[in-house]
Amino acid sequence: MENKRELFQVLTRRFGLLNKNCCSIGSVDISTVQSHIIYEIDKQHAPSMQQVADTLAMDITTFSRQIQKLVKMELVKKTPSEQDKRIYILSLTVQGKFVATSIDQSMNAYLDEVFSHMNEFERETVIRSIELLNKAMSKSHVCCSPMC
């Protein structure tokens, strides 16, 4: 059996997860972390800062710094909650929604191109395997914790 860590090291590099910027939309450079934040704000309905930070398993201080950058870039809007002014609700601006849609289209095109090199059985096997891996990782007590 191949070295499992090596498989994930190569997969991480090929997905570009180590790149400083994951993508450029127009004149805007988006980091991988910012891309994940934008995705979650777009996916969830009026999430709080804490909800998105928890979903991404990020500490709130690091997350807050990223949100401030995204607000400054005019991609994210931070609004005090009507119920509790200490809680901030996140939403995408029009430009943020455009960036989210652009990243989504780009990632889908990339994945479609990658999967085009496989037959239907292989594609289904890979998708099912990733689903199984995600499910197993969600049950792991060390999931989302740094190992070293």
Side-chain angles (χ1 to χ4, degrees):
M1 176 187 239
E2 276 193 61
N3 180 333
K4 291 182 283 288
R5 180 174 180 192
E6 178 69 16
L7 288 171
F8 283 97
Q9 294 285 119
V10 171
L11 183 67
T12 299
R13 284 194 302 268
R14 288 202 173 129
F15 240 116
L17 297 177
L18 301 178
N19 298 353
K20 182 178 182 207
N21 292 320
C22 82
C23 44
S24 295
I25 311 297
S27 63
V28 179
D29 289 330
I30 305 294
S31 72
T32 304
V33 170
Q34 291 167 341
S35 172
H36 281 265
I37 291 169
I38 290 168
Y39 176 84
E40 288 302 328
I41 293 171
D42 193 35
K43 188 174 121 185
Q44 298 182 31
H45 176 70
S48 70
M49 284 188 57
Q50 191 66 56
Q51 285 172 312
V52 178
D54 289 348
T55 299
L56 296 172
M58 289 179 73
D59 72 271
I60 197 68
T61 307
T62 303
F63 182 77
S64 289
R65 278 194 297 272
Q66 289 298 327
I67 289 299
Q68 292 303 58
K69 288 178 186 176
L70 291 167
V71 167
K72 192 173 183 176
M73 294 164 74
E74 299 181 355
L75 301 178
V76 171
K77 187 176 176 194
K78 205 170 111 174
T79 311
S81 167
E82 294 289 322
Q83 293 80 17
D84 186 342
K85 299 295 182 198
R86 297 171 297 172
I87 296 173
Y88 284 92
I89 303 302
L90 300 174
S91 60
L92 297 179
T93 63
V94 171
Q95 187 179 354
K97 186 69 175 163
F98 174 77
V99 166
T101 302
S102 298
I103 293 171
D104 197 44
Q105 290 171 346
S106 176
M107 284 302 299
N108 285 331
Y110 171 67
L111 291 170
D112 287 345
E113 195 279 329
V114 169
F115 281 109
S116 74
H117 300 284
M118 299 177 201
N119 64 39
E120 187 175 344
F121 175 77
E122 291 168 331
R123 283 190 297 270
E124 289 174 7
T125 301
V126 169
I127 298 294
R128 182 71 184 128
S129 297
I130 293 170
E131 288 171 344
L132 286 168
L133 181 62
N134 276 333
K135 189 175 181 180
M137 289 174 79
S138 74
K139 294 176 183 176
S140 171
H141 69 281
V142 293
C143 181
C144 304
S145 299
M147 299 295 287
C148 51

